[in-house]
Amino acid sequence: MIRAPESYFGTIWSRTTIRTMDPMHPRLHAVLAEPRVPAAPPRVWRDGAMMAVLAPAIVVEGILRPDLPWRVGCVIVALALLPTLLWRRTAPRAMVVVAFGATTVAPFVLPGDPCQLFTASFLVLLVYALFRWGSGRDAVTGSFFVVAKVTAAGLIGSIDGGELVAGFAVMFAAATLGAAIRFRAAARLRELDRVKLLERERLARDLHDTVAHHVSAMAIRAQAGIAASASQPGAAVEALHTIEAEASRALAEMRAMVRVLRRGQPADLGPNPQVADIERLAGHFRTGPRIDVDLRGDLGDLPPPVGSALYRLAQESVTNARRHARHATRIEVSVATDDTSVRLRVSDDGEAGAARPTGSSGFGLVGMMERADLLGGSCEAGPNPDRGWTVTAVLPRAGVGA
């Protein structure tokens, strides 16, 4: 009875140790299964500028530092490793292996260590790129070469104990920064996808309401035809039965699809707002800047999805302007149409130069652009030349079928 606690904790310790040492531990497996970041930029203008600055700096440092054991060899090795920066995003593990493998072997072959050059600190960028763009296996494999380099420098006496700790700290900081920016970028992509999916869901609701209206009319007319043809039996009765069955089936399938799209949310039974409802935005807010609405052209025969999209875009733009336009006194909303398209313009007179978010979560404009794109149109937003901010959307009159 007295030994029970010891055996209990011993069992817990042994199980924890076995799970941690297991090469297929779930956490380690998750790290190794992490894929590479897709669509890594191969090369940007900053890479050329960095090469143009670092190459002369390495040569100048080699000339001005007589304390280096073998200045020529250190400069040659550093210049030879400089091009690894150009492929650090597309091949991060290979560049780390080449650079840190060479600098690990160099002190045993050459009289000096190339990493004693201050300008050789560009190798830290390779560590950052390894965790920013590489896969989980790339990061684990490349880390061995980074640790081997820092450890070898301490063993041969190139750096003392304090510099050894500082070296590990710098490499760890670079790896952490790369992983943090990678996580943030991935989180933003997930949020962008969420916003786009939400906008698709909203558009699907609008399309459902429109199609359901027409299908319901088909079903009602078919039922009326069946009732009226009771005294006149014939081939039309069978056709009307078919119309009724097909319409009822299509309506049921459409409702089932929207129930999935709504993700368990109750159906909105209210009518969808249309272009004419934009005028209500002028009197919807009692405080804040004045809202002027101008509707021009023949807007009565627009397809319901286009009219609903115009209202949603106008509402979102007005809300953003009221929330973020500093010292704005007026918001102008105009809708104009021609034979092929409808143009929405929302402009305010807020202060120029102020940062302007595009929604409560920073993704309002993304959702607006997604809705416009799904209807075959476009949506843009940006500051005015003198003062204020303008949102412009152009949608085809024909809607989704355009």
Side-chain angles (χ1 to χ4, degrees):
M1 297 296 295
I2 299 178
R3 295 182 179 180
E6 296 181 1
S7 61
Y8 173 77
F9 287 111
T11 303
I12 294 296
W13 179 88
S14 61
R15 291 178 180 176
T16 304
T17 304
I18 293 174
R19 287 198 301 267
T20 306
M21 295 177 62
D22 183 4
M24 295 305 293
H25 189 267
R27 294 182 180 179
L28 178 59
H29 180 74
V31 172
L32 295 177
E34 177 70 18
R36 293 194 57 188
V37 176
R43 207 166 296 170
V44 296
W45 66 269
R46 293 188 300 271
D47 297 334
M50 187 165 47
M51 296 283 291
V53 172
L54 286 176
I58 292 174
V59 176
V60 171
E61 183 181 0
I63 297 174
L64 299 180
R65 286 191 59 186
D67 57 308
L68 294 174
W70 188 32
R71 290 183 290 177
V72 176
C74 291
V75 170
I76 292 176
V77 174
L79 289 176
L81 296 178
L82 189 58
T84 57
L85 295 178
L86 300 178
W87 290 276
R88 69 185 186 277
R89 302 184 190 91
T90 54
R93 179 174 62 177
M95 296 303 101
V96 167
V97 171
V98 170
F100 284 87
T103 53
T104 302
V105 176
F108 298 96
V109 179
L110 304 176
D113 186 357
C115 288
Q116 290 182 351
L117 289 168
F118 298 132
T119 49
S121 57
F122 68 82
L123 296 176
V124 177
L125 295 177
L126 300 179
V127 180
Y128 165 83
L130 178 67
F131 285 83
R132 172 63 180 90
W133 305 105
S135 64
R137 293 184 181 275
D138 293 344
V140 173
T141 306
S143 297
F144 285 109
F145 286 86
V146 176
V147 172
K149 165 57 192 167
V150 179
T151 304
L155 293 177
I156 64 176
S158 298
I159 56 177
D160 55 24
E163 293 174 336
L164 180 64
V165 175
F168 277 114
V170 170
M171 297 302 174
F172 179 78
T176 303
L177 180 62
I181 295 179
R182 177 192 187 123
F183 175 79
R184 182 177 180 181
R188 178 174 176 81
L189 288 177
R190 288 194 298 269
E191 184 66 16
L192 285 172
D193 291 339
R194 187 192 68 82
V195 171
K196 291 181 178 180
L197 289 174
L198 179 61
E199 200 61 36
R200 288 175 179 268
E201 178 182 334
R202 290 173 179 171
L203 182 58
R205 294 183 186 184
D206 296 341
L207 292 173
H208 162 264
D209 295 337
T210 301
V211 175
H213 170 75
H214 293 296
V215 174
S216 299
M218 290 171 55
I220 293 174
R221 292 187 179 185
Q223 293 169 358
I226 294 173
S229 63
S231 58
Q232 300 176 359
V237 176
E238 183 179 356
L240 290 175
H241 276 295
T242 304
I243 293 175
E244 180 189 13
E246 291 297 328
S248 300
R249 186 180 300 111
L251 185 59
E253 292 176 354
M254 181 66 69
R255 286 173 175 169
M257 180 191 69
V258 172
R259 280 197 297 270
V260 175
L261 290 174
R262 293 183 195 276
R263 297 177 183 177
Q265 299 179 3
D268 185 7
L269 300 180
N272 290 325
Q274 296 298 316
V275 177
D277 297 316
I278 297 178
E279 294 181 335
R280 295 187 302 176
L281 296 175
H284 184 72
F285 304 98
R286 297 182 179 180
T287 61
R290 186 178 79 255
I291 301 175
D292 297 332
V293 178
D294 180 22
L295 304 180
R296 290 171 292 173
D298 184 12
L299 301 173
D301 61 343
L302 290 177
V306 176
S308 179
L310 289 171
Y311 176 83
R312 300 297 186 190
L313 295 174
Q315 183 185 43
E316 180 73 16
S317 301
V318 170
T319 302
N320 288 340
R322 286 178 47 81
R323 183 177 301 167
H324 303 296
R326 298 174 54 184
H327 303 108
T329 61
R330 184 182 181 186
I331 300 175
E332 296 180 356
V333 181
S334 64
V335 180
T337 182
D338 54 30
D339 295 337
T340 60
S341 63
V342 186
R343 182 182 182 89
L344 168 69
R345 186 178 185 273
V346 181
S347 180
D348 62 74
D349 60 351
E351 288 185 357
R356 186 74 64 90
T358 56
S360 59
S361 302
F363 295 96
L365 181 59
V366 174
M368 296 165 64
M369 295 173 62
E370 180 71 9
R371 174 171 282 244
D373 182 67
L374 289 173
L375 291 173
S378 62
C379 181
E380 298 178 352
N384 298 329
D386 49 357
R387 183 182 177 89
W389 189 273
T390 297
V391 177
T392 303
V394 180
L395 302 179
R397 287 186 64 95
V400 180

